[in-house]
Amino acid sequence: WEAQGRIAASHEGEGGSASFLWEQAPQFYKIRMYGPFGAGSAELTGSPKQVIFEENDGKRAFAKTPDELVFRQTGLTIPVRGLTNWIKGIPSDAYTIDHITWNTQGRLVHLIQSGWEIEYLDYALQNGFWLPTRLNLNRDQIKIKLIVKKWQV
């Protein structure tokens, strides 16, 4: 699948936003984040063996998990492993479910996993699937907002 949109993250009043393009295959993913007109781009690429964070100037960093690497490079705790499912409106198999609420149409509206509270604010029908288009994630002082403008399934 592929998702394209905007992400905003803040921690204790500081943060930023970027556009993103997320391409996900069963054993591989690539998440490209970029500012206005492509400025300040970075790419997170992962496979079961390693994760690579590459900035637009060619600097690279490596790690075994995406969460660890994103934190080292940005200082922000972003649960990439959980987001792989959360962005699709599905609980993550990487964490136990602490709380879950579905609406009357069977779509996820509220989820708590691994201390992360995920609120699903809107869905859109894409190729026969109801997929989230707006979601908020909160944990401690960290706030993440995702807007998915385009899905490809």
Side-chain angles (χ1 to χ4, degrees):
W1 54 267
E2 186 177 295
Q4 187 173 356
R6 303 258 321 142
I7 183 170
S10 65
H11 181 251
E12 296 180 351
E14 292 187 28
S17 64
S19 295
F20 72 87
L21 174 61
W22 186 328
E23 298 172 69
Q24 182 77 41
Q27 296 293 315
F28 173 83
Y29 61 87
K30 179 167 57 172
I31 305 168
R32 184 169 183 255
M33 295 165 282
Y34 49 95
F37 309 111
S41 67
E43 191 170 275
L44 185 68
T45 306
S47 69
K49 294 184 180 185
Q50 75 173 354
V51 182
I52 304 167
F53 186 94
E54 184 172 358
E55 297 179 52
N56 62 343
D57 62 3
K59 289 182 185 173
R60 288 179 153 200
F62 302 85
K64 290 190 179 201
T65 70
D67 298 7
E68 170 194 348
L69 188 54
V70 168
F71 180 75
R72 280 195 345 233
Q73 296 304 114
T74 68
L76 290 172
T77 301
I78 298 178
V80 178
R81 287 185 321 155
L83 272 170
T84 302
N85 283 350
W86 296 340
I87 195 170
K88 297 181 293 182
I90 302 169
S92 173
D93 53 4
Y95 312 114
T96 59
I97 297 171
D98 299 314
H99 174 82
I100 192 165
T101 306
W102 305 89
N103 67 14
T104 55
Q105 291 84 28
R107 294 190 275 279
L108 190 55
V109 292
H110 188 250
L111 175 67
I112 300 175
Q113 283 193 288
S114 188
W116 284 97
E117 180 178 7
I118 304 100
E119 294 178 282
Y120 294 86
L121 306 173
D122 205 3
Y123 282 80
L125 186 60
Q126 302 286 325
N127 298 326
F129 299 98
W130 284 97
L131 295 168
T133 55
R134 288 182 38 221
L135 53 151
N136 292 339
L137 292 84
N138 295 291
R139 181 179 179 183
D140 303 323
Q141 299 279 331
I142 302 163
K143 297 184 184 316
I144 300 170
K145 294 182 180 199
L146 281 171
I147 298 173
V148 181
K149 297 179 179 180
K150 183 179 177 183
W151 278 101
Q152 187 173 342
V153 186

